[in-house]
């Protein structure tokens, strides 16, 4: 079993936290409460069909899988419609550069929040990028990494600077593994960086 699947009951609630939501792990799935209820489950996995079949009307089903085609067919057989996709990436904290590399006119700042740690990049004292991290049992989840419009030429630099700062934070708190949830474009940029690799797809369905 892949590490992402073994640890889904840990990183699933942590991913909810970086989005400002509450996640509760039980029976090999994670129930996430927010404006819209979500059910996060592995595919294939123990009880996956039961979890999907018991999702109440209006609840979003999210399947984490290394086989998106069969996961999609399974969800659609139960009456779900595709509603988007994200990518789950992973890295070992000791494999990553942990010293942010930024232009002289920029710096990284971190701040503890109630349910997660926040990071931002400031350019001439004005925030231009941000992200979040949630530390859990032996791992950490990064999410919400974004760069403001108008800084496309530095997008990758700012993303990697934030990732380095958050990797150092995770390493200092004993987290060996980082997970990053991102869209396809950001995932492609990170997968090109030494230390990061794609772990799975996160497929979203509604009905």
């Amino acid at each position: 079993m892949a590490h992402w699947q073994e640890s889904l009951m840990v990183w699933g609630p942590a991913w909810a936290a970086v989005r400002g939501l509450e996640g509760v792990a039980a029976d090999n799935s994670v129930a996430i409460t927010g404006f819209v209820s979500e059910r996060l489950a592995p595919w294939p996995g123990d009880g996956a069909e039961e979890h999907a079949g018991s999702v109440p009307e209006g609840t979003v089903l999210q399947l984490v899988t290394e086989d998106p085609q069969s996961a999609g067919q399974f969800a659609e057989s139960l009456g779900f419609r595709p509603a988007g996709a994200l990518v789950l990436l992973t890295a070992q904290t000791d494999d990553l550069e942990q010293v942010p590399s930024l232009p002289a006119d920029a710096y990284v700042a971190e701040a503890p929040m109630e349910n997660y740690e926040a990071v931002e990049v400031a350019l001439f004292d004005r925030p231009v990028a941000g992200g979040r991290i949630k530390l859990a049992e032996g791992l950490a989840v990064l999410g919400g990494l974004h760069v403001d419009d108008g800084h496309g030429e530095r997008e990758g630099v700012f993303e990697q600077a934030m990732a380095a700062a958050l990797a150092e934070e995770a390493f200092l708190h004993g987290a060996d593994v980082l997970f990053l949830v991102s869209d396809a474009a950001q995932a492609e940029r990170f997968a090109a960086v030494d230390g990061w690799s794609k772990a799975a797809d996160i497929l979203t369905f509604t009905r």
Side-chain angles (χ1 to χ4, degrees):
M1 183 182 296
H3 182 262
W4 69 261
Q5 190 163 353
E6 292 177 342
S7 60
L8 187 143
M9 299 298 97
V10 178
W11 70 257
W15 179 45
V18 298
R19 293 186 290 152
L21 306 175
E22 181 180 358
V24 178
D27 299 326
N28 204 38
S29 72
V30 179
I32 299 175
T33 305
F35 181 72
V36 175
S37 296
E38 304 171 18
R39 179 70 62 82
L40 181 72
W43 173 260
D46 294 339
E49 186 167 350
E50 178 183 347
H51 294 316
S54 64
V55 169
E57 197 73 26
T59 297
V60 171
L61 173 65
Q62 293 170 318
L63 296 180
V64 190
T65 182
E66 295 178 33
D67 185 356
Q69 182 175 356
S70 66
Q73 292 171 345
F74 162 72
E76 290 176 20
S77 74
L78 296 175
F80 287 92
R81 301 182 303 275
L86 296 169
V87 180
L88 179 69
L89 296 108
T90 187
Q92 300 288 320
T93 52
D94 56 2
D95 286 344
L96 297 178
E97 174 63 53
Q98 294 180 10
V99 178
S101 178
L102 282 170
D105 54 2
Y107 64 90
V108 175
E110 299 176 59
M113 308 298 284
E114 184 177 357
N115 294 317
Y116 53 81
E117 300 277 335
V119 64
E120 68 177 25
V121 175
L123 188 62
F124 297 115
D125 295 326
R126 184 173 64 84
V128 295
R132 298 173 177 180
I133 187 173
K134 175 67 176 180
L135 300 168
E137 301 169 22
L139 58 80
V141 177
L142 283 63
L145 293 182
H146 65 276
V147 177
D148 293 349
D149 292 341
H151 300 281
E153 76 284 356
R154 291 181 170 181
E155 185 173 37
V157 173
F158 290 164
E159 286 175 341
Q160 291 307 315
M162 290 187 290
L166 295 174
E168 181 180 28
E169 179 76 10
F171 181 79
L172 292 175
H173 285 82
D176 298 322
V177 179
L178 290 177
F179 287 108
L180 169 65
V181 180
S182 69
D183 62 24
Q186 188 176 73
E188 187 174 352
R189 291 192 295 273
F190 269 83
V193 176
D194 288 344
W196 287 101
S197 61
K198 179 179 177 179
D201 292 286
I202 302 177
L203 307 180
T204 300
F205 301 92
T206 58
R207 66 177 176 187

